[in-house]
């Protein structure tokens, strides 16, 4: 099922170039499917890229210092087909003005811990969703651990001073499908795993279609020792899912689950809902709706979009970490949608339109929202991307973050101009969050073979 076997496919986004003609030499999904049926001689493709931009960090609310840099970002991508790929590179920021680190030439916060060196690996893929075992390393963006009731829409680089490489493992053995992840392979941080049993396979033998009726158990633990020290946290969840409608290109399913905090009596939650996945050559739609119950401080999606900030200071008026924050008892309605559309259905991962949105409304007046949208225009020469995050809206101490990026390719697509800007929150040594903003503008050039 693509809902439970898509993590390595999604990770391909970090192995391919961003936009425009440079992405065309890489294998498409249709080519990958053909390769699975009759493996051909491995074809190697590569891309080299370098970007040079000005980069400025600005204080907000009177906190912090104004800093300016020249940012140089080299990239090397090697694509060996559906089961191998590597993407290496990282931004290096050379100081022009400002800063409180003694005038160091390179921004110290980008490289001052072992975990920060993980940013050199943007993506390393070994195996595929169709292989019995798959491994992937790199940045985690909008990551979901299978059912998504513990880890959902999680990003491991939301903290602007922490740049780890995460890891994902997937494996299949008979009726058991396993997915495990680490948010930081070089530090003691967030770890999780989910084990999913195919009940139809157990009761009646190998099914014609895998994953129609599953029972899964998941657990996640944050050691809190890298990227800044914060309280540890352990959560567990049990889930059941049944696919009720199966048609060419479309599935509809229902799900239910229960979770809690081991060792914390009275901290539990329950969930019931369903979803629809509709996939075609030009248009993909994934929709999920759930009704949730929270009690004793437990909540679904605890490790979510703002977790790397909330582990220091949760949204709200009290200024405490998410592990220590008291989450009110109540109910919530959760909705998530992913829309992808491409006018020419070229089969690749980049689309003329891609939008992702998650929203949760709570019975006691809180509203959380996390969304991203990217569009390609003028024969993919122009790409505009927006993302935004609102946590705790409707209550005191709400948190809002946003960013925008524009890329315009010219001279045959190999040269491009780019600009990006947005807001940030920097964790401090006191465990608080300091507001800031960033802006960058510059040029890039790439070459694909």
């Amino acid at each position: 099922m693509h809902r439970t076997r898509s993590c390595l496919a999604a990770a391909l986004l970090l192995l391919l170039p961003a936009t425009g003609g440079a992405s065309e030499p890489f294998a498409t999904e249709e080519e990958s499917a053909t390769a699975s049926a009759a493996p051909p001689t491995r074809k190697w493709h590569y891309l080299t890229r370098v970007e040079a931009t000005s980069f400025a960090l600005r204080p907000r609310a009177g906190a912090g210092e104004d800093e300016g840099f020249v940012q140089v970002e080299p990239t090397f991508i090697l694509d060996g087909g559906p089961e191998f790929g590597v993407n290496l590179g990282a931004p290096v920021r050379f100081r022009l003005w400002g800063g409180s680190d003694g005038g160091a030439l390179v921004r110290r916060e980008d490289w001052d811990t072992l975990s920060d060196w993980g940013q050199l690996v943007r993506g390393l893929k070994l195996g595929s969703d169709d292989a019995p075992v798959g491994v992937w390393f790199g940045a985690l963006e909008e990551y979901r651990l299978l059912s998504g009731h513990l880890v959902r829409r999680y990003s491991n680089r939301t903290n602007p001073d922490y740049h780890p490489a995460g890891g994902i493992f997937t494996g299949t053995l008979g009726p058991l499908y396993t997915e495990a992840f680490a948010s930081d392979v070089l530090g003691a941080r967030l770890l999780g795993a989910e084990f999913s049993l195919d009940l139809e396979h157990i009761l009646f033998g190998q099914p014609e279609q895998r994953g129609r009726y599953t029972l899964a158990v998941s657990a996640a633990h944050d050691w809190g020792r890298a990227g800044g020290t914060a309280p540890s946290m352990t959560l567990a969840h049990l889930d059941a899912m049944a696919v009720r409608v199966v048609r060419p290109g479309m599935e509809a399913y229902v799900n239910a689950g229960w979770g809690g905090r081991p060792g914390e009596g009275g901290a539990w939650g329950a969930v019931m809902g369903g979803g629809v996945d509709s996939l075609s050559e030009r248009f993909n739609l994934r929709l999920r709706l759930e009704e949730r119950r929270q009690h004793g401080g437990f909540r679904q999606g605890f490790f979510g979009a703002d977790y790397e900030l909330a582990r220091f200071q949760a949204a709200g008026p009290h200024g405490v970490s998410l592990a220590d924050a008291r989450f009110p008892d109540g109910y919530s309605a959760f909705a998530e949608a992913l829309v992808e559309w491409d006018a020419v259905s070229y089969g690749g991962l980049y689309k003329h339109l891609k939008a992702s949105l998650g929203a949760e409304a709570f019975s006691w007046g809180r509203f959380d929202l996390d969304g991203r949208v990217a569009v390609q225009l003028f024969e993919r020469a122009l790409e505009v991307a927006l993302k935004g995050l609102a946590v705790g809206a409707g209550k005191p101490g709400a948190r809002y973050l946003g960013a925008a990026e524009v890329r315009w390719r010219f001279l045959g697509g190999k040269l491009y101009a780019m600009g990006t800007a947005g807001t940030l929150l920097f964790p401090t040594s006191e465990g608080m969050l300091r507001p800031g903003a960033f802006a960058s503008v510059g040029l890039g050039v790439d070459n694909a073979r």
Side-chain angles (χ1 to χ4, degrees):
M1 303 300 293
H2 60 261
R3 289 181 310 281
T4 60
R5 300 298 300 273
S6 62
C7 69
L8 292 180
L12 285 170
L13 286 169
L14 297 174
L15 289 174
L16 298 179
T19 60
S23 65
E24 295 175 2
F26 291 85
T28 67
E29 292 174 346
E30 293 174 355
E31 291 170 346
S32 298
T34 302
S36 300
T41 302
R42 184 185 297 272
K43 294 183 179 180
W44 296 91
H45 303 282
Y46 73 88
L47 178 140
T48 55
R49 167 187 294 161
V50 63
E51 296 176 355
T53 63
S54 61
F55 185 86
L57 293 174
R58 303 298 304 274
R60 287 194 298 146
E65 294 188 25
D66 189 5
E67 299 179 77
F69 305 86
V70 170
Q71 177 173 289
V72 179
E73 185 170 355
T75 299
F76 174 74
I77 299 174
L78 179 64
D79 183 1
E83 296 190 351
F84 177 79
V86 61
N87 183 341
L88 303 176
V92 181
R93 295 165 183 164
F94 299 95
R95 187 176 304 279
L96 292 178
W97 70 81
S100 57
D101 54 2
L105 177 63
V106 176
R107 186 172 186 266
R108 179 181 57 82
E109 294 86 349
D110 292 338
W111 304 96
D112 60 349
T113 67
L114 177 62
S115 296
D116 285 326
W117 291 87
Q119 66 183 305
L120 292 170
V121 180
R122 287 203 184 96
L124 172 60
K125 175 169 64 80
L126 303 171
S128 69
D129 285 342
D130 297 322
V133 175
V135 180
W136 184 85
F137 299 98
L140 302 179
E141 291 290 340
E142 294 188 297
Y143 173 69
R144 182 191 74 187
L145 179 61
L146 288 187
S147 64
H149 290 133
L150 294 182
V151 183
R152 192 173 197 89
R153 305 184 69 85
Y154 168 78
S155 297
N156 65 344
R157 297 188 183 179
T158 310
N159 178 348
D161 291 334
Y162 178 49
H163 315 89
I168 301 172
F169 167 85
T170 61
T172 302
L173 181 62
L176 177 66
Y177 177 75
T178 302
E179 180 173 326
F181 86 100
S183 69
D184 185 349
V185 297
L186 299 177
R189 274 302 317 281
L190 180 59
L191 304 173
E194 184 161 338
F195 303 92
S196 178
L197 279 174
D198 189 325
L199 300 181
E200 187 177 9
H201 190 161
I202 294 175
L203 297 175
F204 305 107
Q206 179 71 47
E208 182 177 343
Q209 183 175 3
R210 295 178 58 89
R212 289 199 61 179
Y213 305 95
T214 61
L215 184 66
V217 60
S218 58
H221 176 76
D222 187 358
W223 297 92
R225 298 177 184 174
T229 303
S232 62
M233 172 62 66
T234 303
L235 300 175
H237 212 275
L238 179 68
D239 288 280
M241 186 197 67
V243 179
R244 304 301 301 161
V245 178
V246 178
R247 296 176 182 173
M250 193 273 284
E251 294 179 350
Y253 59 92
V254 295
N255 63 280
W258 181 92
R261 295 174 61 175
E264 296 286 340
W268 58 271
V271 60
M272 180 177 294
V276 175
D277 294 343
S278 177
L279 306 179
S280 65
E281 289 186 356
R282 296 190 178 186
F283 181 77
N284 297 333
L285 172 65
R286 296 180 181 177
L287 179 64
R288 184 164 186 163
L289 299 172
E290 292 181 343
E291 177 71 19
R292 297 173 169 181
R293 172 75 164 99
Q294 300 89 23
H295 187 272
F298 176 86
R299 65 164 294 186
Q300 297 81 9
F302 185 91
F303 304 107
D306 81 322
Y307 178 72
E308 287 300 320
L309 301 173
R311 61 188 285 258
F312 300 104
Q313 182 181 350
H318 304 297
V320 299
S321 70
L322 186 61
D324 297 327
R326 183 64 181 176
F327 201 80
D329 298 346
Y331 297 86
S332 68
F334 173 80
E336 185 177 41
L338 173 64
V339 177
E340 297 176 327
W341 171 78
D342 194 82
V344 296
S345 64
Y346 81 110
L349 292 171
Y350 291 93
K351 312 293 183 182
H352 281 111
L353 170 66
K354 185 171 183 177
S356 173
L357 180 68
E360 188 168 11
F362 296 87
S363 58
W364 41 278
R366 168 169 164 162
F367 185 75
D368 293 348
L369 180 69
D370 172 40
R372 304 182 183 210
V373 60
V375 295
Q376 293 182 335
L377 305 169
F378 309 119
E379 298 182 345
R380 306 189 194 275
L382 177 66
E383 177 171 321
V384 179
L386 304 171
K387 64 178 180 180
L389 173 68
V391 182
K395 292 293 181 179
R399 176 172 298 156
Y400 303 96
L401 292 172
E405 181 175 338
V406 178
R407 291 177 180 243
W408 173 49
R409 289 185 175 269
F410 50 94
L411 297 181
K414 294 185 179 296
L415 185 66
Y416 57 92
M418 58 179 296
T420 181
T423 56
L424 300 168
L425 289 172
F426 295 87
T428 66
S429 58
E430 295 81 17
M432 306 301 287
L433 296 177
R434 173 176 61 83
F438 74 96
S440 176
V441 61
L443 295 172
V445 60
D446 54 26
N447 182 57
R449 288 291 184 268

